[in-house]
Amino acid sequence: MLLFLNFGTMTDTVLAASAIPMALIGGIFALVLTGIPFSVSAAIGFVALFGISVMNGIIVIAYFNTLIDAGLERSAAVARAFSVKMRPVAMTCIVACVGLLPAALSTGIGSQVQKPLAVVVVGGSFLAPFLILIVMPVLIDLFSRRKAPVALARQLPAPAE
């Protein structure tokens, strides 16, 4: 509901939330790779991971919408949005990885509680930027209906033939 209030369209809401499965793949892969069973702690890690991934989706979709509203052509807006906003997306994921890496690698007393959460967040945050960079531009190009405002579209010069 908050995403819909932010974007105003269901399409943009779903596109921003489409980053969740991309992070989910990394979290599941990390659990399987480390042999850690799914637990309440891992579930809490997935909730945190979903928040991080939706924030990354919001960053990219909001900038894409800004570029379209400024009159940029659709494919150029997709390319520019991802080239400009991948650094903030990557930094968000790197900070989450670096912050929880000690907990993910811990073996001491109490690590049974914190380790599943950390492994999920580190695994999902590590893989998500790559999947977002590959999959989300295609999703935006296929499903976003946002177009330049009519007044701006009339001001733009016709393409040279």
PDB file of all heavy atoms in Angstrom, residues 43-59:
ATOM      1  N   ALA A  43      13.811 -16.533   8.736  1.00  0.00           N
ATOM      2  CA  ALA A  43      12.618 -15.824   8.272  1.00  0.00           C
ATOM      3  C   ALA A  43      12.727 -14.329   8.548  1.00  0.00           C
ATOM      4  O   ALA A  43      12.351 -13.504   7.707  1.00  0.00           O
ATOM      5  CB  ALA A  43      11.372 -16.404   8.935  1.00  0.00           C
ATOM      6  N   ILE A  44      13.261 -13.981   9.704  1.00  0.00           N
ATOM      7  CA  ILE A  44      13.473 -12.572  10.030  1.00  0.00           C
ATOM      8  C   ILE A  44      14.512 -11.977   9.084  1.00  0.00           C
ATOM      9  O   ILE A  44      14.387 -10.824   8.652  1.00  0.00           O
ATOM     10  CB  ILE A  44      13.880 -12.411  11.510  1.00  0.00           C
ATOM     11  CG1 ILE A  44      12.707 -12.810  12.407  1.00  0.00           C
ATOM     12  CG2 ILE A  44      14.314 -10.985  11.812  1.00  0.00           C
ATOM     13  CD1 ILE A  44      13.050 -12.950  13.862  1.00  0.00           C
ATOM     14  N   GLY A  45      15.520 -12.759   8.730  1.00  0.00           N
ATOM     15  CA  GLY A  45      16.504 -12.313   7.745  1.00  0.00           C
ATOM     16  C   GLY A  45      15.867 -12.043   6.391  1.00  0.00           C
ATOM     17  O   GLY A  45      16.206 -11.063   5.714  1.00  0.00           O
ATOM     18  N   PHE A  46      14.905 -12.880   5.995  1.00  0.00           N
ATOM     19  CA  PHE A  46      14.204 -12.654   4.730  1.00  0.00           C
ATOM     20  C   PHE A  46      13.372 -11.373   4.779  1.00  0.00           C
ATOM     21  O   PHE A  46      13.308 -10.639   3.794  1.00  0.00           O
ATOM     22  CB  PHE A  46      13.330 -13.856   4.360  1.00  0.00           C
ATOM     23  CG  PHE A  46      14.086 -14.957   3.694  1.00  0.00           C
ATOM     24  CD1 PHE A  46      14.273 -16.168   4.338  1.00  0.00           C
ATOM     25  CD2 PHE A  46      14.617 -14.803   2.424  1.00  0.00           C
ATOM     26  CE1 PHE A  46      14.971 -17.205   3.732  1.00  0.00           C
ATOM     27  CE2 PHE A  46      15.319 -15.824   1.810  1.00  0.00           C
ATOM     28  CZ  PHE A  46      15.500 -17.026   2.460  1.00  0.00           C
ATOM     29  N   VAL A  47      12.761 -11.086   5.924  1.00  0.00           N
ATOM     30  CA  VAL A  47      11.995  -9.845   6.059  1.00  0.00           C
ATOM     31  C   VAL A  47      12.919  -8.635   5.881  1.00  0.00           C
ATOM     32  O   VAL A  47      12.586  -7.683   5.164  1.00  0.00           O
ATOM     33  CB  VAL A  47      11.253  -9.799   7.413  1.00  0.00           C
ATOM     34  CG1 VAL A  47      10.652  -8.428   7.658  1.00  0.00           C
ATOM     35  CG2 VAL A  47      10.186 -10.868   7.467  1.00  0.00           C
ATOM     36  N   ALA A  48      14.083  -8.676   6.523  1.00  0.00           N
ATOM     37  CA  ALA A  48      15.051  -7.592   6.364  1.00  0.00           C
ATOM     38  C   ALA A  48      15.535  -7.496   4.919  1.00  0.00           C
ATOM     39  O   ALA A  48      15.658  -6.396   4.356  1.00  0.00           O
ATOM     40  CB  ALA A  48      16.233  -7.812   7.300  1.00  0.00           C
ATOM     41  N   LEU A  49      15.774  -8.629   4.312  1.00  0.00           N
ATOM     42  CA  LEU A  49      16.224  -8.670   2.919  1.00  0.00           C
ATOM     43  C   LEU A  49      15.164  -8.108   1.980  1.00  0.00           C
ATOM     44  O   LEU A  49      15.487  -7.395   1.026  1.00  0.00           O
ATOM     45  CB  LEU A  49      16.568 -10.107   2.539  1.00  0.00           C
ATOM     46  CG  LEU A  49      17.167 -10.349   1.168  1.00  0.00           C
ATOM     47  CD1 LEU A  49      18.471  -9.588   1.007  1.00  0.00           C
ATOM     48  CD2 LEU A  49      17.384 -11.832   0.960  1.00  0.00           C
ATOM     49  N   PHE A  50      13.904  -8.389   2.238  1.00  0.00           N
ATOM     50  CA  PHE A  50      12.819  -7.848   1.417  1.00  0.00           C
ATOM     51  C   PHE A  50      12.790  -6.325   1.500  1.00  0.00           C
ATOM     52  O   PHE A  50      12.569  -5.641   0.502  1.00  0.00           O
ATOM     53  CB  PHE A  50      11.473  -8.414   1.840  1.00  0.00           C
ATOM     54  CG  PHE A  50      11.312  -9.892   1.600  1.00  0.00           C
ATOM     55  CD1 PHE A  50      10.272 -10.580   2.172  1.00  0.00           C
ATOM     56  CD2 PHE A  50      12.215 -10.597   0.807  1.00  0.00           C
ATOM     57  CE1 PHE A  50      10.107 -11.938   1.956  1.00  0.00           C
ATOM     58  CE2 PHE A  50      12.071 -11.953   0.596  1.00  0.00           C
ATOM     59  CZ  PHE A  50      11.012 -12.629   1.167  1.00  0.00           C
ATOM     60  N   GLY A  51      13.017  -5.800   2.684  1.00  0.00           N
ATOM     61  CA  GLY A  51      13.059  -4.345   2.845  1.00  0.00           C
ATOM     62  C   GLY A  51      14.176  -3.711   2.054  1.00  0.00           C
ATOM     63  O   GLY A  51      13.988  -2.686   1.386  1.00  0.00           O
ATOM     64  N   ILE A  52      15.352  -4.325   2.103  1.00  0.00           N
ATOM     65  CA  ILE A  52      16.496  -3.815   1.348  1.00  0.00           C
ATOM     66  C   ILE A  52      16.218  -3.879  -0.150  1.00  0.00           C
ATOM     67  O   ILE A  52      16.479  -2.925  -0.886  1.00  0.00           O
ATOM     68  CB  ILE A  52      17.773  -4.623   1.698  1.00  0.00           C
ATOM     69  CG1 ILE A  52      18.179  -4.390   3.145  1.00  0.00           C
ATOM     70  CG2 ILE A  52      18.920  -4.265   0.759  1.00  0.00           C
ATOM     71  CD1 ILE A  52      19.222  -5.370   3.657  1.00  0.00           C
ATOM     72  N   SER A  53      15.674  -4.989  -0.614  1.00  0.00           N
ATOM     73  CA  SER A  53      15.452  -5.151  -2.049  1.00  0.00           C
ATOM     74  C   SER A  53      14.355  -4.221  -2.570  1.00  0.00           C
ATOM     75  O   SER A  53      14.483  -3.664  -3.660  1.00  0.00           O
ATOM     76  CB  SER A  53      15.126  -6.605  -2.386  1.00  0.00           C
ATOM     77  OG  SER A  53      13.938  -7.010  -1.770  1.00  0.00           O
ATOM     78  N   VAL A  54      13.300  -4.008  -1.797  1.00  0.00           N
ATOM     79  CA  VAL A  54      12.258  -3.072  -2.226  1.00  0.00           C
ATOM     80  C   VAL A  54      12.809  -1.651  -2.282  1.00  0.00           C
ATOM     81  O   VAL A  54      12.494  -0.882  -3.196  1.00  0.00           O
ATOM     82  CB  VAL A  54      11.019  -3.164  -1.313  1.00  0.00           C
ATOM     83  CG1 VAL A  54      10.055  -2.018  -1.561  1.00  0.00           C
ATOM     84  CG2 VAL A  54      10.308  -4.484  -1.536  1.00  0.00           C
ATOM     85  N   MET A  55      13.648  -1.299  -1.316  1.00  0.00           N
ATOM     86  CA  MET A  55      14.269   0.024  -1.351  1.00  0.00           C
ATOM     87  C   MET A  55      15.094   0.197  -2.621  1.00  0.00           C
ATOM     88  O   MET A  55      15.048   1.252  -3.265  1.00  0.00           O
ATOM     89  CB  MET A  55      15.154   0.224  -0.121  1.00  0.00           C
ATOM     90  CG  MET A  55      15.785   1.601  -0.071  1.00  0.00           C
ATOM     91  SD  MET A  55      16.810   1.858   1.372  1.00  0.00           S
ATOM     92  CE  MET A  55      18.040   0.595   1.167  1.00  0.00           C
ATOM     93  N   ASN A  56      15.811  -0.839  -3.020  1.00  0.00           N
ATOM     94  CA  ASN A  56      16.579  -0.767  -4.263  1.00  0.00           C
ATOM     95  C   ASN A  56      15.662  -0.618  -5.474  1.00  0.00           C
ATOM     96  O   ASN A  56      15.966   0.136  -6.402  1.00  0.00           O
ATOM     97  CB  ASN A  56      17.465  -1.999  -4.405  1.00  0.00           C
ATOM     98  CG  ASN A  56      18.595  -2.009  -3.409  1.00  0.00           C
ATOM     99  OD1 ASN A  56      19.012  -0.968  -2.919  1.00  0.00           O
ATOM    100  ND2 ASN A  56      19.087  -3.182  -3.097  1.00  0.00           N
ATOM    101  N   GLY A  57      14.550  -1.322  -5.469  1.00  0.00           N
ATOM    102  CA  GLY A  57      13.579  -1.180  -6.554  1.00  0.00           C
ATOM    103  C   GLY A  57      13.002   0.226  -6.619  1.00  0.00           C
ATOM    104  O   GLY A  57      12.830   0.793  -7.697  1.00  0.00           O
ATOM    105  N   ILE A  58      12.711   0.797  -5.464  1.00  0.00           N
ATOM    106  CA  ILE A  58      12.181   2.166  -5.415  1.00  0.00           C
ATOM    107  C   ILE A  58      13.185   3.154  -5.983  1.00  0.00           C
ATOM    108  O   ILE A  58      12.823   4.052  -6.751  1.00  0.00           O
ATOM    109  CB  ILE A  58      11.804   2.543  -3.965  1.00  0.00           C
ATOM    110  CG1 ILE A  58      10.599   1.745  -3.507  1.00  0.00           C
ATOM    111  CG2 ILE A  58      11.534   4.038  -3.839  1.00  0.00           C
ATOM    112  CD1 ILE A  58      10.303   1.877  -2.023  1.00  0.00           C
ATOM    113  N   ILE A  59      14.451   2.993  -5.630  1.00  0.00           N
ATOM    114  CA  ILE A  59      15.496   3.894  -6.121  1.00  0.00           C
ATOM    115  C   ILE A  59      15.519   3.902  -7.648  1.00  0.00           C
ATOM    116  O   ILE A  59      15.544   4.959  -8.276  1.00  0.00           O
ATOM    117  CB  ILE A  59      16.876   3.483  -5.548  1.00  0.00           C
ATOM    118  CG1 ILE A  59      16.960   3.793  -4.062  1.00  0.00           C
ATOM    119  CG2 ILE A  59      18.008   4.175  -6.295  1.00  0.00           C
ATOM    120  CD1 ILE A  59      18.169   3.195  -3.373  1.00  0.00           C
TER     121      ILE A  59
END
